[in-house]
Structure formats: structure tokens, C-alpha cells
Amino acid sequence: MNFSESLKKNRDFQMNYRKGKSLANRYLVMYVRENGLLKNRLGISVSKKVGNSVVRHRVTRLLRESYRLHEECFRCGYDIVIIARPSAKGRSYFDMESALVHLGKLHHIYEKETQQILQNGED
């Protein structure tokens, strides 16, 4: 992740829960809060309600990879916490990717134009 780092401290997660704006869809809940930095900080939370450790780690890997591949499309300067809902268990990569992009668009931090410019530049 070039433009982002991980959100690790409990107090950062708690601040995001208290002061951030949250939106949800079928598989994910996303909290977003401005952080005043020139990069994003990403936190992923998958509770035991989703499944055992193997399932939780798979969901985490899918979310982290989805974000990594779309990272240049997310505006910088935000703390983003993604919480997986129990319905995320057993979902494909494409389901998780579309859920992540959907919430990014709802929060107005996902800019599709950036991705189109990159694709046109590679042709």
C-alpha cells in the first residue's frame, strides 16, 4: 500500500467510531474520518461472529487486497475503518471488492476518474 498505512492502535479505532461517519451495506460497515495527514490509514475489524480464525483471516486478506488494488482511487487524508459483517463469510473476492468500492463511493472518497485515467494511460 503506497499511499496508506495500517491503523493499529485501539484509541485510533475508538476515535473513528466516535467521531467518524459510518455507512453500511450488506457485507461491510465503513467508518471514515479526516486525519489531517497526506495519507490514508486503514483499519480492518473482523469479529468472531464472522467465523473461526481461518475465515476471519480470509475476509481480512480479501479486504486488504481489494483496498490495495483500488488504493489510487481513494482520496488521501482519511482514517478508514472497515468492519466485516457476518454475511461476509464465504463471499468471493469480487463481492468484497464491490462492497468496498460501493461504500467508498457513498462516502465520496472513491474517485472513479482516477482509475479511468490510469487505464487509458496504459493503453
Side-chain angles (χ1 to χ4, degrees):
M1 294 190 292
N2 297 330
F3 311 110
S4 304
E5 62 183 37
S6 292
L7 199 63
K8 296 178 181 170
K9 301 211 181 279
N10 185 37
R11 69 172 184 244
D12 293 334
F13 276 85
Q14 294 303 321
M15 183 68 75
N16 228 8
Y17 296 146
R18 275 187 261 123
K19 306 233 173 168
K21 182 182 175 193
S22 71
L23 292 172
N25 59 24
R26 180 179 290 170
Y27 305 124
L28 304 173
V29 178
M30 181 185 282
Y31 286 84
V32 174
R33 184 177 72 91
E34 288 189 34
N35 62 14
L37 304 172
L38 297 175
K39 58 187 168 190
N40 289 338
R41 297 191 302 172
L42 178 69
I44 298 174
S45 176
V46 184
S47 75
K48 287 185 178 181
K49 292 179 183 178
V50 176
N52 64 20
S53 65
V54 175
V55 172
R56 293 194 310 268
H57 285 94
R58 180 179 184 276
V59 171
T60 302
R61 287 193 311 272
L62 291 176
L63 289 172
R64 195 171 305 282
E65 181 67 5
S66 298
Y67 180 80
R68 185 187 71 82
L69 292 175
H70 291 274
E71 183 177 23
E72 66 275 352
C73 298
F74 281 89
R75 291 177 25 207
C76 292
Y78 294 93
D79 284 349
I80 302 168
V81 174
I82 301 168
I83 302 170
R85 289 184 157 181
S87 59
K89 177 181 180 178
R91 296 293 162 210
S92 70
Y93 167 78
F94 300 106
D95 291 337
M96 301 307 286
E97 179 185 37
S98 65
L100 179 70
V101 170
H102 174 251
L103 287 176
K105 288 177 182 176
L106 288 179
H107 277 291
H108 304 293
I109 60 171
Y110 185 86
E111 298 171 340
K112 184 69 172 173
E113 296 81 27
T114 307
Q115 188 178 23
Q116 290 174 346
I117 291 169
L118 291 174
Q119 287 176 349
N120 292 336
E122 292 173 356
D123 293 339

